[in-house]
Every structure is written in structure tokens, then in C-alpha cells.
């Protein structure tokens, strides 16, 4: 059985300017004892305007955080007003890039095809995609959860080699649990993440499925993290609201006690 180091990612969404970002990361680092990072990896995904400041802070003070982005375009450069190239993110030593977040899909019309192109573009620059999937409440109640989520995985991993899939991260985020205070039960979250791993097993092979890390996201907080993180197919969390508060995020990171 492969050991998968849990990845706790803070997706700040459109919150915290670069001054606030620096203070938040400094405080978070102060709150988490160094030895905790031996058993867990933590990535911070600030808005684009903060990334250079956070990169400088992490590198100059040798902080135990990985730098992440929330989104990117799939082209290297060109006439795409307002977009950010994966090449630019790679130059800032960005390690993880979230792609296909439900807010990007719902609010900005990202399709499975665009998400697939982004996954390939992020990999091309040797960064790691955090590929998001998740169902709406209506889809869950209609019994369509697996069809929706596994369809997103199938589309998102198209053209990705087994070796690349093994190193990437998938985030299962039920849309009805995002920012609502409603969390999937640990049992439901485990079942969904197991189904995602099963899909990877079907598309690739056992070794790949056993290596890929699968995060749960949706109202993760210090209080519910220990139970969610103890599930066999949950290898970390993609955290929104709670990641903006260093005290709360520090509790999530220390889920193992
Ligand atoms: P919340 O933790 O605020 O529910 O957000 C989850 C999320 O969308 C992280 O990407």
C-alpha cells in the first residue's frame, strides 16, 4: 500500500489583498509547530495579485508551505485579456494549480474540455493540477452523483499519462457543501472519494490509483477535519472559508492531533 502524504490546501478565492496575505501566512506559520509538516503538506492559493509577495515570503523565510494558484489559462501567451499563463505561474515556483473549481465552472462557464486543456497545460510546466469535481444537490438527490463526478474525472484526465495521474491531486467538492456550513458526512465523503479512486483504477492501473491524492472540500473546519481526514480514501482537504482565518486553518492542518 502506497503512503500518501496528506495535502491540505487553502483556497482563498477572491479574498485578502497582498498585505493581508503576508500577515495571514506569517501568523499561520507561527501557529503550526514545525514537526507537524513532517506528516502533512500545506499549499496556499492566494489571488494572483498576492502570489509574488507570498512566493518571496515563503522563499526568504524558508516557510513550510507550497505555493498554489487558483486558476490559469491553457495557452502559453496571447490575446486573452485578463488571463494568466501557466508559464508565468511556473516562473513564480508555483507548485499546485487548482483547475475546474465548481465556481469557475458555474460562474465563468468552464467546460470539461477547457478543464482538460488546463490540466495538460499545468503538467506541461511541471506543476501539479488539483482537479476539482463535484455534484449539485439536485444531481445528488436524483441519484446522479457518481455519473457527474466520474464524468468530470474521465474528461479531466483525458490524455494524461498514468505516471502523471499518479502524481496529481483530485479534489472532490460537493457543490452543496461549499461555503454553506453543510459538510458531507465522513461516510458520504469517503464513498465519493472511493468512487473517484475506482475510476482512476479503471482508467489507469492499481499503482496509479493507489498514488493519486484525493482531497475532500466543502465546509472543512478544525472540528470536522479529524473525522474526514481519517477516512481511507481521503488524502487531504481543499479548504475555503476556514483557510482565511489562521487560527482555524492551523487547527485543520493539525487534524492528526
Ligand atoms: P469552503 O471551505 O468555504 O466550503 O470552500 C470549499 C472550497 O470551495 C474550496 O475550494
Amino acid at each position: 500500500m502506497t503512503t500518501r502524504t496528506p495535502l491540505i490546501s487553502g483556497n482563498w478565492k477572491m479574498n485578502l489583498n497582498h498585505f493581508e496575505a503576508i500577515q495571514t501566512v506569517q501568523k499561520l506559520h507561527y501557529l503550526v509547530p514545525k514537526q507537524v509538516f513532517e506528516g502533512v503538506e500545506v499549499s496556499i492559493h492566494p489571488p494572483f495579485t498576492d502570489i509574488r509577495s507570498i512566493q518571496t515570503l515563503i522563499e526568504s523565510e524558508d516557510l513550510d508551505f507550497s505555493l498554489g494558484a487558483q486558476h490559469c489559462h491553457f495557452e502559453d501567451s496571447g490575446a486573452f485579456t485578463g488571463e494568466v499563463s501557466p508559464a508565468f505561474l511556473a516562473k513564480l515556483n508555483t507548485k499546485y494549480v487548482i483547475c475546474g473549481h465548481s465556481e469557475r465552472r458555474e460562474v465563468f462557464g468552464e467546460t470539461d474540455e477547457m478543464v482538460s486543456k488546463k490540466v495538460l497545460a499545468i503538467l506541461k510546466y511541471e506543476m501539479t493540477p488539483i482537479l476539482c469535481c463535484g455534484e449539485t444537490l439536485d444531481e445528488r438527490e436524483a441519484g446522479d452523483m457518481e455519473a457527474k463526478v466520474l464524468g468530470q474525472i474521465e474528461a479531466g484526465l483525458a490524455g494524461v499519462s498514468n505516471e502523471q495521474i499518479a502524481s496529481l491531486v483530485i479534489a472532490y467538492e460537493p457543490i452543496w457543501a461549499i461555503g454553506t456550513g453543510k459538510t458531507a458526512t465522513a461516510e458520504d465523503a469517503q464513498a465519493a472519494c472511493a468512487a473517484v479512486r475506482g475510476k482512476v483504477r479503471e482508467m489507469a492501473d492499481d499503482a496509479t490509483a493507489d498514488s493519486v491524492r484525493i482531497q475532500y472540500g466543502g465546509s472543512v473546519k478544525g472540528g470536522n477535519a479529524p473525522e474526514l481526514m481519517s477516512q481511507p480514501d481521503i488524502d487531504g482537504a481543499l479548504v475555503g472559508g476556514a483557510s482565511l482565518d489562521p487560527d482555524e486553518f492551523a487547527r485543520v492542518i493539525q487534524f492528526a492531533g
Side-chain angles (χ1 to χ4, degrees):
M1 181 72 195
T2 323
T3 323
R4 299 183 293 264
T5 304
L7 174 66
I8 306 291
S9 303
N11 174 12
W12 289 359
K13 310 189 179 185
M14 198 172 73
N15 295 291
L16 306 181
N17 65 41
H18 72 287
F19 292 118
E20 295 163 336
I22 290 168
Q23 284 174 354
T24 303
V25 171
Q26 280 172 329
K27 182 158 185 212
L28 183 65
H29 193 259
Y30 169 79
L31 287 169
V32 183
K34 194 155 182 69
Q35 69 271 17
V36 170
F37 294 98
E38 287 165 18
V40 62
E41 190 184 355
V42 177
S43 64
I44 309 282
H45 301 249
F48 284 134
T49 50
D50 303 357
I51 286 186
R52 174 67 175 149
S53 305
I54 299 303
Q55 179 212 2
T56 308
L57 176 66
I58 289 174
E59 291 179 4
S60 65
E61 297 190 17
D62 200 17
L63 306 187
D64 299 291
F65 299 126
S66 298
L67 186 60
Q70 300 175 15
H71 154 70
C72 68
H73 199 270
F74 46 80
E75 294 288 354
D76 293 344
S77 63
F80 303 104
T81 301
E83 286 295 315
V84 169
S85 160
F88 305 163
L89 294 175
K91 267 276 183 257
L92 294 165
N93 295 340
T94 302
K95 184 166 179 193
Y96 294 101
V97 186
I98 297 170
C99 80
H101 191 280
S102 59
E103 287 151 19
R104 298 290 325 167
R105 294 180 192 258
E106 283 190 350
V107 186
F108 301 101
E110 267 185 31
T111 61
D112 275 343
E113 192 189 355
M114 289 157 79
V115 173
S116 162
K117 285 183 182 171
K118 287 176 192 212
V119 167
L120 295 171
I122 294 161
L123 288 167
K124 175 177 154 190
Y125 285 98
E126 297 181 353
M127 300 181 290
T128 301
I130 299 182
L131 170 62
C132 298
C133 59
E135 82 287 359
T136 63
L137 194 55
D138 283 354
E139 288 162 343
R140 170 166 280 258
E141 286 173 351
D144 294 337
M145 185 275 275
E146 281 206 7
K148 167 79 179 294
V149 168
L150 303 187
Q152 289 176 325
I153 296 302
E154 184 156 14
L157 297 181
V160 183
S161 71
N162 289 2
E163 196 188 354
Q164 287 172 320
I165 296 174
S167 70
L168 65 71
V169 179
I170 295 172
Y172 167 66
E173 297 203 302
I175 295 168
W176 47 272
I178 296 178
T180 57
K182 289 184 199 152
T183 320
T185 61
E187 205 177 22
D188 284 349
Q190 159 59 24
C193 293
V196 168
R197 198 178 303 285
K199 182 71 189 174
V200 174
R201 201 175 301 282
E202 180 193 310
M203 290 180 72
D205 55 30
D206 284 344
T208 306
D210 290 340
S211 292
V212 69
R213 288 184 289 178
I214 304 176
Q215 296 176 314
Y216 167 78
S219 298
V220 175
K221 302 204 166 33
N224 57 29
E227 196 189 359
L228 286 161
M229 296 305 112
S230 68
Q231 303 303 312
D233 285 295
I234 301 182
D235 310 312
L238 184 53
V239 186
S243 72
L244 300 171
D245 173 357
D247 292 293
E248 190 66 30
F249 198 39
R251 280 193 280 276
V252 175
I253 293 169
Q254 294 173 90
F255 65 85

